[in-house]
Amino acid sequence: MQDLMLISAAVLVSVLCAGVMGFAIQRGATCTVAAVDEMLAKRRANRLLAMGEASLWVAGGLALSSVIGALPATPSAYAVSAWTFIGGALLGLGAWVNKACVFGAIARFGSGEWNYAATPVGFYVGCLTLGVFFRTPATQQLAEGSPVLEAAGWVALLFTGFAAWRIGPPLWTVWADPGGCSERGQARARRLAARIWSPHAATAVIGVTFVIILLLVGAWAYTDVLAQLASGATMRLALGVLCLVALYVGAVLGGWTAGRWRSTPVSALSVMRCLLGGAMMAWGSLLIPGSNDGLILIGMPLLRPYAWLAFATMCLSIAAAMWASQHVVGVHRAGEASQ
């Protein structure tokens, strides 16, 4: 009976964490496509660095868990091959076609862009059709450890200082103002809320909630749930579906509470674009293996080379697609102007 209660509590906390993760994804507008666009258009890397910070929080959380002996089995590592780069390119091109990566699709759905409900459907269809378009590679798993966990004590020590530096100033802002109901206090509260849901802080929340879920029920990525549904796998599938639903509910709550929720009409073209983009991202994820949520929250924090190379390839393919589309549009407009 006691074991059942503990399992139920772990499931409940995991589902709540998935909801908070969805809320943070929407509030922070977390998206690799938006991050690459920011680099190309504004020459800033704030969003991309924020995603790196999510990996940092996961790495620190895993190191702390290892030190206290609470870390479950380490997620698998995979060998680098040509499929790593092919998959990364497909993942990036699919995100560009979709106009949002798997994170960004959740954020946009949470803002009322209903066509992005087609993205997970497309991802599911892509998982079913991989063998139709590609010779399914034999994934080579590696038995190697992670440098992060091998030096867990030092990593945990450094991470504790980093976490105090990131969390301390916002908490001090609230603590230093006893007049929370005053106009000054309300202004500080609004600034604190804006800071909490900035891209850097939002991705930190994503990283922390992911670590909690990992410690309670094991590694979880919502794209993995879709892949398991497509393959007929039943291991922890019910829990995965619950977390998936909570993720989307949290995203909708994030959009609604931020005043971003706008019900957007759905068109056949936008639905087809999301279906195709979702399918392409699924093909890329299975070839790597790992989608950008799994790469950022599992592979990259553990310093897996395949994850870093696949994510870099994804970003480069998004940038190349953006540059090519802008170049084609520019040439077309120049041709019209000359007529």
Side-chain angles (χ1 to χ4, degrees):
M1 184 66 179
Q2 187 176 7
D3 289 344
L4 180 61
M5 291 178 64
L6 288 174
I7 293 172
S8 299
V11 169
L12 178 60
V13 173
S14 298
V15 171
L16 289 174
C17 283
V20 173
M21 185 186 293
F23 192 96
I25 288 170
Q26 200 288 326
R27 282 297 193 93
T30 308
C31 180
T32 309
V33 176
V36 174
D37 182 63
E38 182 186 52
M39 284 196 66
L40 294 178
K42 301 180 180 178
R43 299 293 188 270
R44 292 205 306 261
N46 291 348
R47 292 180 184 275
L48 204 57
L49 290 173
M51 290 185 177
E53 188 166 330
S55 294
L56 187 60
W57 281 89
V58 173
L62 295 180
L64 282 171
S65 303
S66 179
V67 169
I68 64 175
L71 185 66
T74 306
S76 300
Y78 300 96
V80 176
S81 69
W83 292 112
T84 305
F85 301 97
I86 295 170
L90 274 171
L91 190 57
L93 291 174
W96 174 75
V97 169
N98 191 57
K99 296 187 178 180
C101 69
V102 294
F103 278 141
I106 294 171
R108 298 183 75 160
F109 178 84
S111 297
E113 297 185 51
W114 302 122
N115 54 293
Y116 282 95
T119 300
V121 176
F123 197 99
Y124 175 80
V125 172
C127 292
L128 291 174
T129 58
L130 176 69
V132 176
F133 298 98
F134 300 93
R135 178 179 62 82
T136 307
T139 304
Q140 182 183 354
Q141 291 191 7
L142 303 176
E144 63 184 20
S146 166
V148 171
L149 300 181
E150 289 171 0
W154 286 106
V155 173
L157 182 62
L158 292 172
F159 173 73
T160 302
F162 168 78
W165 172 67
R166 293 295 285 165
I167 296 173
L171 292 179
W172 174 253
T173 299
V174 177
W175 181 263
D177 183 19
C181 295
S182 66
E183 183 176 342
R184 180 184 175 191
Q186 292 174 359
R188 287 192 175 188
R190 286 192 296 270
R191 289 197 301 272
L192 177 62
R195 184 170 180 177
I196 287 175
W197 299 117
S198 67
H200 278 274
T203 51
V205 172
I206 294 168
V208 170
T209 52
F210 175 81
V211 170
I212 294 173
I213 294 173
L214 184 147
L215 294 178
L216 291 176
V217 297
W220 176 84
Y222 92 89
T223 50
D224 291 341
V225 177
L226 296 172
Q228 288 174 14
L229 284 169
S231 65
T234 57
M235 182 179 178
R236 298 191 301 111
L237 189 54
L239 174 60
V241 172
L242 280 175
C243 289
L244 178 62
V245 172
L247 189 77
Y248 274 89
V249 170
V252 172
L253 285 174
W256 180 64
T257 55
R260 298 175 183 170
W261 197 88
R262 300 289 185 275
S263 184
T264 304
V266 176
S267 68
L269 181 61
S270 64
V271 169
M272 290 301 296
R273 173 176 52 76
C274 290
L275 285 171
L276 177 59
M280 292 175 67
M281 286 191 285
W283 297 334
S285 299
L286 293 174
L287 292 174
I288 291 170
S291 192
N292 64 307
D293 56 347
L295 296 176
I296 292 171
L297 297 177
I298 300 174
M300 291 170 63
L302 292 172
L303 298 181
R304 306 294 196 198
Y306 84 94
W308 284 87
L309 291 171
F311 185 73
T313 304
M314 176 189 181
C315 293
L316 288 173
S317 64
I318 293 172
M322 286 180 173
W323 179 87
S325 63
Q326 292 170 0
H327 181 71
V328 169
V329 170
V331 170
H332 178 69
R333 289 177 177 174
E336 289 181 341
S338 65
Q339 293 177 357

